[in-house]
Amino acid sequence: NNFNRYEQDMICAYFHSKWNIDTYVCSDRTSTNETYHLRFKPKSHSSFVEIIRPFVIPSLEYKLDARAKASTH
């Protein structure tokens, strides 16, 4: 991932202001540095998936439905 903490926070703010999608930043500490990545809050996950679904290539569509299936069991 090439985004620092500030940039990750900006992306979170964008998702919230543009799409009303709630995200948060998580940090991963490795032996050499700290990296950051976004997580989607559960209530916003399905909204995000529906926004990106038209742009996902057919061979990767199964990834969009994997979490929905897992959360129903």
Side-chain angles (χ1 to χ4, degrees):
N1 165 339
N2 293 322
F3 298 108
N4 63 35
R5 176 62 193 241
Y6 174 75
E7 293 164 334
Q8 295 280 356
D9 288 335
M10 287 178 44
I11 294 168
C12 286
Y14 169 78
F15 275 122
H16 184 74
S17 67
K18 176 73 175 176
W19 305 104
N20 198 29
I21 292 177
D22 293 322
T23 60
Y24 58 97
V25 178
C26 291
S27 62
D28 290 326
R29 289 184 176 88
T30 63
S31 59
T32 56
N33 63 352
E34 187 170 20
T35 60
Y36 303 96
H37 63 275
L38 292 182
R39 302 286 282 196
F40 289 84
K41 293 187 177 182
K43 67 179 181 153
S44 293
H45 180 263
S46 60
S47 298
F48 176 72
V49 168
E50 292 313 309
I51 290 168
I52 67 166
R53 188 179 293 280
F55 306 101
V56 175
I57 60 173
S59 63
L60 295 177
E61 285 178 352
Y62 74 95
K63 290 183 173 279
L64 297 179
D65 298 321
R67 181 170 173 175
K69 289 177 185 172
S71 65
T72 60
H73 296 339

Short mmCIF file of all heavy atoms in Angstrom, two decimals, residues 8-24 38-41 43-44 47-48 51:
data_model
loop_
_atom_site.label_atom_id
_atom_site.label_comp_id
_atom_site.label_asym_id
_atom_site.label_seq_id
_atom_site.Cartn_x
_atom_site.Cartn_y
_atom_site.Cartn_z
N GLN A 8 -4.83 8.09 3.92
CA GLN A 8 -5.89 7.14 4.26
C GLN A 8 -7.06 7.87 4.90
O GLN A 8 -8.23 7.58 4.61
CB GLN A 8 -5.37 6.05 5.19
CG GLN A 8 -4.33 5.16 4.59
CD GLN A 8 -4.90 4.07 3.71
OE1 GLN A 8 -6.10 3.91 3.58
NE2 GLN A 8 -4.02 3.30 3.10
N ASP A 9 -6.77 8.80 5.80
CA ASP A 9 -7.83 9.58 6.43
C ASP A 9 -8.60 10.41 5.40
O ASP A 9 -9.82 10.56 5.50
CB ASP A 9 -7.26 10.49 7.52
CG ASP A 9 -6.82 9.73 8.75
OD1 ASP A 9 -7.34 8.61 9.00
OD2 ASP A 9 -5.95 10.24 9.48
N MET A 10 -7.90 10.95 4.41
CA MET A 10 -8.57 11.70 3.35
C MET A 10 -9.50 10.80 2.54
O MET A 10 -10.61 11.20 2.17
CB MET A 10 -7.52 12.34 2.42
CG MET A 10 -6.81 13.51 3.05
SD MET A 10 -5.52 14.25 2.00
CE MET A 10 -6.28 14.34 0.41
N ILE A 11 -9.07 9.58 2.26
CA ILE A 11 -9.90 8.63 1.52
C ILE A 11 -11.15 8.28 2.34
O ILE A 11 -12.26 8.22 1.79
CB ILE A 11 -9.09 7.37 1.15
CG1 ILE A 11 -7.99 7.74 0.15
CG2 ILE A 11 -10.00 6.29 0.58
CD1 ILE A 11 -6.95 6.65 -0.06
N CYS A 12 -10.99 8.10 3.63
CA CYS A 12 -12.14 7.84 4.51
C CYS A 12 -13.13 8.99 4.44
O CYS A 12 -14.34 8.77 4.33
CB CYS A 12 -11.69 7.64 5.95
SG CYS A 12 -10.89 6.09 6.30
N ALA A 13 -12.63 10.20 4.51
CA ALA A 13 -13.50 11.38 4.46
C ALA A 13 -14.22 11.46 3.11
O ALA A 13 -15.41 11.82 3.05
CB ALA A 13 -12.69 12.64 4.72
N TYR A 14 -13.52 11.12 2.04
CA TYR A 14 -14.14 11.12 0.71
C TYR A 14 -15.28 10.11 0.64
O TYR A 14 -16.37 10.43 0.18
CB TYR A 14 -13.10 10.81 -0.38
CG TYR A 14 -13.74 10.56 -1.71
CD1 TYR A 14 -14.20 11.62 -2.50
CD2 TYR A 14 -13.93 9.27 -2.17
CE1 TYR A 14 -14.82 11.39 -3.72
CE2 TYR A 14 -14.55 9.03 -3.39
CZ TYR A 14 -14.99 10.09 -4.16
OH TYR A 14 -15.60 9.86 -5.35
N PHE A 15 -15.03 8.88 1.06
CA PHE A 15 -16.08 7.87 1.02
C PHE A 15 -17.30 8.33 1.82
O PHE A 15 -18.44 8.11 1.40
CB PHE A 15 -15.59 6.53 1.57
CG PHE A 15 -14.89 5.68 0.56
CD1 PHE A 15 -13.60 5.26 0.79
CD2 PHE A 15 -15.52 5.26 -0.59
CE1 PHE A 15 -12.95 4.45 -0.13
CE2 PHE A 15 -14.88 4.46 -1.52
CZ PHE A 15 -13.59 4.06 -1.30
N HIS A 16 -17.06 8.97 2.95
CA HIS A 16 -18.18 9.41 3.77
C HIS A 16 -18.94 10.57 3.12
O HIS A 16 -20.17 10.56 3.05
CB HIS A 16 -17.71 9.78 5.18
CG HIS A 16 -18.85 10.15 6.07
ND1 HIS A 16 -19.71 9.21 6.58
CD2 HIS A 16 -19.30 11.34 6.50
CE1 HIS A 16 -20.63 9.81 7.30
NE2 HIS A 16 -20.40 11.11 7.27
N SER A 17 -18.21 11.56 2.65
CA SER A 17 -18.89 12.74 2.09
C SER A 17 -19.54 12.47 0.74
O SER A 17 -20.63 12.97 0.47
CB SER A 17 -17.92 13.92 1.99
OG SER A 17 -16.92 13.66 1.03
N LYS A 18 -18.91 11.68 -0.08
CA LYS A 18 -19.43 11.42 -1.43
C LYS A 18 -20.49 10.33 -1.45
O LYS A 18 -21.49 10.42 -2.16
CB LYS A 18 -18.26 11.03 -2.35
CG LYS A 18 -18.64 10.64 -3.75
CD LYS A 18 -19.05 11.83 -4.57
CE LYS A 18 -19.29 11.38 -6.02
NZ LYS A 18 -19.78 12.45 -6.83
N TRP A 19 -20.27 9.25 -0.69
CA TRP A 19 -21.12 8.07 -0.79
C TRP A 19 -21.84 7.71 0.52
O TRP A 19 -22.58 6.74 0.56
CB TRP A 19 -20.29 6.88 -1.23
CG TRP A 19 -19.54 7.11 -2.49
CD1 TRP A 19 -18.20 7.37 -2.61
CD2 TRP A 19 -20.06 7.12 -3.82
NE1 TRP A 19 -17.87 7.53 -3.94
CE2 TRP A 19 -19.00 7.38 -4.70
CE3 TRP A 19 -21.33 6.92 -4.36
CZ2 TRP A 19 -19.16 7.46 -6.07
CZ3 TRP A 19 -21.49 7.00 -5.73
CH2 TRP A 19 -20.40 7.26 -6.56
N ASN A 20 -21.57 8.44 1.59
CA ASN A 20 -22.10 8.10 2.92
C ASN A 20 -21.71 6.68 3.34
O ASN A 20 -22.51 5.93 3.91
CB ASN A 20 -23.62 8.29 2.98
CG ASN A 20 -24.12 8.37 4.40
OD1 ASN A 20 -23.41 8.80 5.30
ND2 ASN A 20 -25.34 7.93 4.62
N ILE A 21 -20.47 6.34 3.02
CA ILE A 21 -19.91 5.03 3.37
C ILE A 21 -18.90 5.24 4.48
O ILE A 21 -17.98 6.06 4.35
CB ILE A 21 -19.27 4.37 2.14
CG1 ILE A 21 -20.37 4.00 1.14
CG2 ILE A 21 -18.43 3.16 2.53
CD1 ILE A 21 -19.86 3.41 -0.14
N ASP A 22 -19.08 4.50 5.55
CA ASP A 22 -18.20 4.66 6.71
C ASP A 22 -17.05 3.66 6.65
O ASP A 22 -17.26 2.46 6.49
CB ASP A 22 -18.98 4.47 8.00
CG ASP A 22 -19.99 5.58 8.21
OD1 ASP A 22 -19.66 6.74 7.89
OD2 ASP A 22 -21.10 5.30 8.69
N THR A 23 -15.86 4.19 6.78
CA THR A 23 -14.63 3.39 6.78
C THR A 23 -13.79 3.82 7.97
O THR A 23 -14.07 4.82 8.63
CB THR A 23 -13.82 3.62 5.49
OG1 THR A 23 -13.47 5.00 5.40
CG2 THR A 23 -14.60 3.21 4.26
N TYR A 24 -12.75 3.07 8.23
CA TYR A 24 -11.78 3.46 9.25
C TYR A 24 -10.42 2.95 8.85
O TYR A 24 -10.29 2.06 8.01
CB TYR A 24 -12.19 2.99 10.65
CG TYR A 24 -12.38 1.50 10.79
CD1 TYR A 24 -11.37 0.69 11.29
CD2 TYR A 24 -13.59 0.90 10.43
CE1 TYR A 24 -11.55 -0.68 11.42
CE2 TYR A 24 -13.78 -0.46 10.57
CZ TYR A 24 -12.75 -1.24 11.07
OH TYR A 24 -12.94 -2.60 11.20
N LEU A 38 -7.54 0.58 4.72
CA LEU A 38 -8.92 0.93 5.03
C LEU A 38 -9.73 -0.32 5.35
O LEU A 38 -9.51 -1.37 4.77
CB LEU A 38 -9.59 1.61 3.83
CG LEU A 38 -9.12 2.98 3.44
CD1 LEU A 38 -9.95 3.49 2.27
CD2 LEU A 38 -9.21 3.94 4.60
N ARG A 39 -10.67 -0.14 6.23
CA ARG A 39 -11.66 -1.18 6.54
C ARG A 39 -13.03 -0.52 6.40
O ARG A 39 -13.21 0.63 6.76
CB ARG A 39 -11.50 -1.70 7.96
CG ARG A 39 -10.14 -2.29 8.25
CD ARG A 39 -9.95 -3.60 7.64
NE ARG A 39 -10.65 -4.60 8.44
CZ ARG A 39 -10.44 -5.89 8.35
NH1 ARG A 39 -9.57 -6.34 7.51
NH2 ARG A 39 -11.10 -6.72 9.11
N PHE A 40 -13.96 -1.28 5.87
CA PHE A 40 -15.33 -0.79 5.74
C PHE A 40 -16.14 -1.28 6.92
O PHE A 40 -16.08 -2.45 7.29
CB PHE A 40 -15.95 -1.29 4.44
CG PHE A 40 -15.37 -0.63 3.23
CD1 PHE A 40 -14.20 -1.11 2.67
CD2 PHE A 40 -15.97 0.48 2.68
CE1 PHE A 40 -13.64 -0.49 1.57
CE2 PHE A 40 -15.42 1.11 1.59
CZ PHE A 40 -14.25 0.62 1.02
N LYS A 41 -16.90 -0.37 7.52
CA LYS A 41 -17.78 -0.78 8.61
C LYS A 41 -18.86 -1.68 8.03
O LYS A 41 -19.29 -1.50 6.89
CB LYS A 41 -18.38 0.45 9.29
CG LYS A 41 -17.31 1.24 10.03
CD LYS A 41 -17.90 2.35 10.84
CE LYS A 41 -16.79 3.06 11.61
NZ LYS A 41 -17.31 4.13 12.45
N LYS A 43 -22.02 -2.02 8.18
CA LYS A 43 -23.24 -1.43 7.61
C LYS A 43 -22.99 -0.76 6.27
O LYS A 43 -23.93 -0.53 5.50
CB LYS A 43 -23.87 -0.45 8.59
CG LYS A 43 -23.03 0.79 8.84
CD LYS A 43 -23.70 1.74 9.79
CE LYS A 43 -22.80 2.95 9.97
NZ LYS A 43 -23.53 4.13 10.30
N SER A 44 -21.75 -0.44 5.94
CA SER A 44 -21.43 0.23 4.69
C SER A 44 -20.92 -0.72 3.61
O SER A 44 -20.82 -0.34 2.44
CB SER A 44 -20.38 1.31 4.92
OG SER A 44 -20.91 2.35 5.71
N SER A 47 -23.24 -1.29 0.55
CA SER A 47 -23.34 -0.08 -0.28
C SER A 47 -22.12 0.06 -1.17
O SER A 47 -22.24 0.37 -2.36
CB SER A 47 -23.46 1.16 0.60
OG SER A 47 -24.62 1.11 1.37
N PHE A 48 -20.94 -0.19 -0.61
CA PHE A 48 -19.71 -0.11 -1.39
C PHE A 48 -19.72 -1.14 -2.51
O PHE A 48 -19.40 -0.83 -3.66
CB PHE A 48 -18.50 -0.31 -0.48
CG PHE A 48 -17.20 -0.33 -1.23
CD1 PHE A 48 -16.68 0.83 -1.77
CD2 PHE A 48 -16.50 -1.51 -1.40
CE1 PHE A 48 -15.49 0.82 -2.47
CE2 PHE A 48 -15.31 -1.54 -2.10
CZ PHE A 48 -14.80 -0.37 -2.63
N ILE A 51 -21.83 -0.10 -5.42
CA ILE A 51 -21.24 0.99 -6.21
C ILE A 51 -20.19 0.44 -7.17
O ILE A 51 -20.14 0.84 -8.34
CB ILE A 51 -20.61 2.06 -5.28
CG1 ILE A 51 -21.72 2.80 -4.55
CG2 ILE A 51 -19.72 3.02 -6.07
CD1 ILE A 51 -21.24 3.66 -3.41
#
